[in-house]
């Protein structure tokens, strides 16, 4: 054991020397999915080409994960010994030549390509920006810093030290006791205590036990787990091995959706590297503990995020939920005790083992310690990933970190918990974010999607959008979810088409409550949440659709009407541009729109030079 640990420490010493770039300079390019989709691959290749052409042998050009500020991708960061890191944003191949010639060759950073809130802060560290000031990056600490395709980078930042500590210095019970003491709750849904879950599986006598990483992230707008897998895959592998040691499992599976090709590729690389170093496989750190990990690809079924449906999928069956109990910790994969944790939950584990439960409890709240990663999207200025201490308010996340809604629009609501959550209005902005407070407010934590809506969003349409998603994703096994959600969607379609009645609203609410109470799994039980929360908090919008036959925000096209006001000069441009020939009138006289012919395309309004056309 000592030999194995000494070898790890020597690997770390060598890796730290390289990571700190004490012998040269280091350029990292954000190569998570967000960066790649923005053109980062071409930037990386161009940098490698230009650095080589300039003869800069002491400069490394490497990929990394997402730093969180997806809105500024592609992002390039340059590290030089004894100097402040320089961050370049919105990079493209055309900008690379100037950065190499000016910054790397002549030592003059290209200020106009950097990010800063004012001219003085242009060359400051990204961490000094308002976006980061209230964040606490623990899970995301390595993302955007290390090379996820090089195990040595992970080793340099204490990688696999927690596994070494657990296997060589602790008993399985001591590992579980630390997890219990930390208060870590599952970051994938209802927030069940992680240590308690592990103890159930550990207490079961079985010839085989399993660890499953649930990376089947399917919420619209959620990309937390994907970014961790793309930016810090070894943290998940190390955590799975620790949990395997704790419960007596020798096999682990990572269930990840095939739509995450970058994450899958980096997981494959990480698994092979960990096996080569002996951190996965036989006799880990010279002990009698064996642990192996395999990847299983999901086909994109949202229901497979539910643990029993996920297990069925790994077993080669159709992804459908089953009744509980028995719970997977007692009878899971192939009938054996199985622990399932999601990516973010697992990423906390090595840090807790190394730093202790008190360190973890020093963040967050008493009942919800630690931090939580959110995918901040929708009508928000600073889209991206944020990691904040539990207990921070929605207002702080949306305004202090997210920068509020674009174009001076008024905030209207925020959807937390994805399709399973609820919409919270401006009155709830001071709600502290933790598992219990969000549920009390009418929503939930879920995996961590946070979609912001402004004054232009129709809340009836938002409810219809999320319900349409869950109808498509229902596995169809139980009648309440399979049939009930369809009937709810039909009613919402009817309402947004202008044919809804007050009776429909009553039936909608009754259906929602029945589906909540009788569905087999959490997908069906939570499917009505967006509808119920919007009906409760934005009832006036539902009444406007049903009683007044209008959509206050103009989103629902069937209820939309375009009118020409007295400001019309009779220029005839609107009539000429109308594709439906719905506008009539003579030159220099007010024109009129035939509502029966109007297809509500808005072309007339776009082309009117006198602002004489309005929509209601």
């Amino acid at each position: 054991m000592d030999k194995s640990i000494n070898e790890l420490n020597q690997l770390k010493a060598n890796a730290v020397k390289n990571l700190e770039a004490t012998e040269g300079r280091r350029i990292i390019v954000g190569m998570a999915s967000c960066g790649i989709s923005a053109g980062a691959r071409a930037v990386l290749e161009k940098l490698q080409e230009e650095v080589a052409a300039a003869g800069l042998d002491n400069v490394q050009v490497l990929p990394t994960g997402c730093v969180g500020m997806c809105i500024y991708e592609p992002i390039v960061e340059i590290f030089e010994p004894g100097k402040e890191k320089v961050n370049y944003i919105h990079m493209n191949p055309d900008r690379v030549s100037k950065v190499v010639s000016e910054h790397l060759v002549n030592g003059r950073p290209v200020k106009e390509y950097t990010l800063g809130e004012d001219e003085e802060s242009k060359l400051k560290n990204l961490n000094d920006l308002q976006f980061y000031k209230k964040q606490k990056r623990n899970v995301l600490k390595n993302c955007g810093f290390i090379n996820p395709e090089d195990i040595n980078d992970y080793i340099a930042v204490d990688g696999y030290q927690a596994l070494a500590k657990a296997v060589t210095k602790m008993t399985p019970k001591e590992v579980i006791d630390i997890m219990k003491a930390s208060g870590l709750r599952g970051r994938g849904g209802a927030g069940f205590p992680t240590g308690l879950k592990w103890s159930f599986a550990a207490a079961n006598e079985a010839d085989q036990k399993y660890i499953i990483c649930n990376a089947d992230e399917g919420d619209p707008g959620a990309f937390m787990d994907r970014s961790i897998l793309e930016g810090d895959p070894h943290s998940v592998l190390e955590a799975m091995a620790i949990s395997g040691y704790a419960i007596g499992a020798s096999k682990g599976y990572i269930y990840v959706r095939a739509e995450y090709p970058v994450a899958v590729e980096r997981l494959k690389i990480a698994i092979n590297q960990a096996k080569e170093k002996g951190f996965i496989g036989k006799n880990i750190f010279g002990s009698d503990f064996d642990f192996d990990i395999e990847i299983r690809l999901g086909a994109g079924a949202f229901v497979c995020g539910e643990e029993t449906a996920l297990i069925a999928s790994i077993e080669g069956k159709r992804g459908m939920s089953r009744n509980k109990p028995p719970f997977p910790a007692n009878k899971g994969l192939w009938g054996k005790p199985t622990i399932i944790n999601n990516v973010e939950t697992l990423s906390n584990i090595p840090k807790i083992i190394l730093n202790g439960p008190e360190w973890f409890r020093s963040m967050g709240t008493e009942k919800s310690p630690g931090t939580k990663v959110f995918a901040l999207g929708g009508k928000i200025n600073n889209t991206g990933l944020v990691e904040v201490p539990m207990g921070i308010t929605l207002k702080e996340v949306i305004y202090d970190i997210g920068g509020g809604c674009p174009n001076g629009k008024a905030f209207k609501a925020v959807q937390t918990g994805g399709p399973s959550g609820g919409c919270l209005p401006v009155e709830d902005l001071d709600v502290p974010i933790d598992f219990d407070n969000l549920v009390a407010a009418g929503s939930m934590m879920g995996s961590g999607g946070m979609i912001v809506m402004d004054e232009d969003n129709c809340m009836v349409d938002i409810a219809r959008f999320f319900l349409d998603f869950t109808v498509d994703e229902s596995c169809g096994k139980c009648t309440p979810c399979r049939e009930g959600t369809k009937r709810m969607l039909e009613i919402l379609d009817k309402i947004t088409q202008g044919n809804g009645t007050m009776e429909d609203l009553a039936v909608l609410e009754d259906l929602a409550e029945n589906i909540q109470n009788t569905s087999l799994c959490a997908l069906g039980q939570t499917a009505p949440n967006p509808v119920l929360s919007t009906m409760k908090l934005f009832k006036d919008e539902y009444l406007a659709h049903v009683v007044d036959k209008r959509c206050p925000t103009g989103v629902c096209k069937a209820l939309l009407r375009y009118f020409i006001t007295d400001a019309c000069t009779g220029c005839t441009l609107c009539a000429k541009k109308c594709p439906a020939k719905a506008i009539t009138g003579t030159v220099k006289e007010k024109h009129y729109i035939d509502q029966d012919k109007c297809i509500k395309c808005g072309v007339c309004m776009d082309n009117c030079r006198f602002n004489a056309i309005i929509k209601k």
Side-chain angles (χ1 to χ4, degrees), residues 146-161:
I146 66 171
N147 178 359
E149 298 181 7
D150 187 349
I151 192 172
N152 293 308
D153 269 21
Y154 183 65
I155 291 171
V157 291
D158 290 331
Y160 291 104
Q161 293 285 344

Side-chain angles (χ1 to χ4, degrees), residues 5 38 51 139 203 280 314 317 379 469 501 515 523 536:
I5 293 174
V51 165
V139 168
I280 294 174
I314 292 179
K317 304 170 186 174
K379 303 288 187 69
F469 176 84
T501 65
I515 294 168
L523 185 147
K536 177 183 176 182

Side-chain angles (χ1 to χ4, degrees), residues 401-469:
I401 297 173
C405 300
N407 304 316
K409 296 287 186 178
F411 167 85
K412 188 173 194 177
V414 58
Q415 172 88 2
T416 67
S420 305
C423 294
L424 301 178
V426 65
E427 291 81 9
D428 287 329
L429 280 176
D430 290 323
V431 169
I433 298 173
D434 64 22
F435 291 99
D436 303 318
N437 280 314
L438 287 179
V439 170
S443 188
M444 64 185 295
M445 184 81 70
S447 58
M450 189 175 285
I451 310 297
V452 178
M453 289 155 272
D454 68 11
E455 60 190 83
D456 293 334
N457 285 105
C458 169
M459 302 313 294
V460 183
D461 181 67
I462 290 292
R464 193 205 62 78
F465 167 80
F466 281 113
L467 193 62
D468 183 55
F469 176 84

Side-chain angles (χ1 to χ4, degrees), residues 210-408:
Y210 297 101
I211 300 295
I212 296 176
C213 168
N214 182 354
D216 189 59
E217 185 175 53
D219 289 10
F223 49 95
M224 301 76 59
D225 290 352
R226 186 197 73 203
S227 293
I228 294 168
L229 294 176
E230 292 176 348
D232 195 15
H234 284 282
S235 67
V236 176
L237 306 187
E238 182 177 13
M240 290 178 70
I242 291 169
S243 57
Y245 175 73
I247 74 163
S250 60
K251 185 74 174 182
Y253 291 94
I254 301 175
Y255 187 84
V256 57
R257 50 183 47 226
E259 297 98 326
Y260 284 179
V262 178
V264 171
E265 181 60 27
R266 288 182 183 162
L267 280 171
K268 289 178 180 178
I269 293 170
I271 290 171
N272 289 333
Q273 290 176 343
K275 286 181 177 179
E276 289 174 5
K277 298 289 187 185
F279 303 141
I280 294 174
K282 301 287 187 181
N283 306 118
I284 296 172
F285 288 106
S287 70
D288 59 359
F289 172 54
D290 303 337
F291 192 76
D292 194 19
I293 296 176
E294 290 184 24
I295 297 172
R296 287 291 183 269
L297 299 183
F302 180 62
V303 72
C304 287
E306 195 279 329
E307 55 186 12
T308 61
L310 184 155
I311 286 171
S313 183
I314 292 179
E315 292 175 341
K317 304 170 186 174
R318 182 176 177 182
M320 301 177 82
S321 303
R322 63 162 172 79
N323 286 316
K324 293 182 288 188
F327 292 93
N330 296 316
K331 188 176 181 180
L333 188 62
W334 290 298
K336 303 296 184 179
T338 303
I339 287 298
I340 305 175
N341 291 125
N342 86 322
V343 172
E344 186 184 344
T345 308
L346 289 167
S347 293
N348 278 287
I349 289 164
K351 299 170 184 66
I352 293 172
I353 296 297
L354 278 183
N355 299 312
E358 296 80 10
W359 165 82
F360 189 74
R361 281 197 169 276
S362 69
M363 300 169 284
T365 65
E366 182 180 354
K367 293 184 178 179
S368 298
T371 61
K372 180 71 188 80
V373 181
F374 290 98
L376 192 58
K379 303 288 187 69
I380 192 79
N381 278 305
N382 299 328
T383 56
L385 282 182
V386 303
E387 184 176 0
V388 292
M390 292 281 199
I392 194 172
T393 65
L394 287 167
K395 180 185 290 183
E396 290 174 285
V397 173
I398 293 167
Y399 286 97
D400 295 343
I401 297 173
C405 300
N407 304 316

Side-chain angles (χ1 to χ4, degrees), residues 67 69 71-72 75 77 87 89 114-118 120-135 382 400-401:
V67 297
M69 301 189 78
I71 191 173
Y72 294 115
I75 295 174
E77 299 181 279
N87 314 278
I89 64 168
T114 62
L115 172 67
E117 291 162 344
D118 52 53
E120 289 185 5
S121 67
K122 277 287 185 181
L123 297 179
K124 286 188 177 180
N125 196 302
L126 277 178
N127 296 335
D128 293 330
L129 299 174
Q130 188 68 30
F131 180 77
Y132 288 108
K133 284 182 179 177
K134 290 195 174 182
Q135 291 194 50
N382 299 328
D400 295 343
I401 297 173

Side-chain angles (χ1 to χ4, degrees), residues 23-263:
E23 297 176 344
R25 290 175 286 181
R26 179 182 174 95
I27 305 174
I28 58 175
V29 182
M31 289 286 288
S33 290
C34 53
I36 292 171
S37 65
R41 195 177 301 280
V43 171
L44 178 70
E45 292 171 355
K46 184 68 172 176
L47 272 166
Q48 291 170 333
E49 177 187 318
E50 292 279 343
V51 165
L56 300 171
D57 297 331
N58 66 339
V59 174
Q60 301 178 76
V61 182
L62 302 166
T64 189
C66 175
V67 297
M69 301 189 78
C70 306
I71 191 173
Y72 294 115
E73 294 285 4
I75 295 174
V76 172
E77 299 181 279
I78 298 181
F79 296 82
E80 297 178 280
K83 296 181 181 180
E84 278 280 352
K85 176 180 66 173
V86 177
N87 314 278
Y88 292 109
I89 64 168
H90 297 314
M91 285 295 288
N92 57 51
D94 293 336
R95 291 182 168 190
V96 167
S97 298
K98 189 171 183 179
V99 168
V100 172
S101 62
E102 289 294 311
H103 187 157
L104 296 176
V105 175
N106 296 316
R108 296 190 296 266
V110 186
K111 209 169 185 181
E112 62 263 33
Y113 298 163
T114 62
L115 172 67
E117 291 162 344
D118 52 53
E119 201 60 29
E120 289 185 5
S121 67
K122 277 287 185 181
L123 297 179
K124 286 188 177 180
N125 196 302
L126 277 178
N127 296 335
D128 293 330
L129 299 174
Q130 188 68 30
F131 180 77
Y132 288 108
K133 284 182 179 177
K134 290 195 174 182
Q135 291 194 50
K136 181 69 175 176
R137 292 171 70 85
N138 292 326
V139 168
L140 300 179
K141 184 177 181 180
N142 296 332
C143 295
F145 177 61
I146 66 171
N147 178 359
E149 298 181 7
D150 187 349
I151 192 172
N152 293 308
D153 269 21
Y154 183 65
I155 291 171
V157 291
D158 290 331
Y160 291 104
Q161 293 285 344
L163 177 60
K165 178 180 178 181
V167 171
T168 65
K169 298 180 180 179
M170 302 171 69
T171 65
K173 183 180 183 301
E174 287 173 333
V175 173
I176 292 174
D177 286 344
I178 282 183
M179 297 313 301
K180 285 182 176 179
S182 73
L184 174 65
R185 298 172 67 170
R187 277 10 185 195
F192 193 82
T194 303
L196 184 60
K197 181 190 281 190
W198 288 12
S199 69
F200 295 152
N204 275 297
E205 296 293 334
D207 59 345
Q208 179 68 58
K209 298 179 184 179
Y210 297 101
I211 300 295
I212 296 176
C213 168
N214 182 354
D216 189 59
E217 185 175 53
D219 289 10
F223 49 95
M224 301 76 59
D225 290 352
R226 186 197 73 203
S227 293
I228 294 168
L229 294 176
E230 292 176 348
D232 195 15
H234 284 282
S235 67
V236 176
L237 306 187
E238 182 177 13
M240 290 178 70
I242 291 169
S243 57
Y245 175 73
I247 74 163
S250 60
K251 185 74 174 182
Y253 291 94
I254 301 175
Y255 187 84
V256 57
R257 50 183 47 226
E259 297 98 326
Y260 284 179
V262 178

Side-chain angles (χ1 to χ4, degrees), residues 502-519:
M502 292 300 292
E503 183 181 0
D504 286 327
L505 295 182
V507 172
L508 192 61
E509 192 167 0
D510 186 56
L511 270 172
E513 291 173 355
N514 276 289
I515 294 168
Q516 278 186 327
N517 295 329
T518 58
S519 290

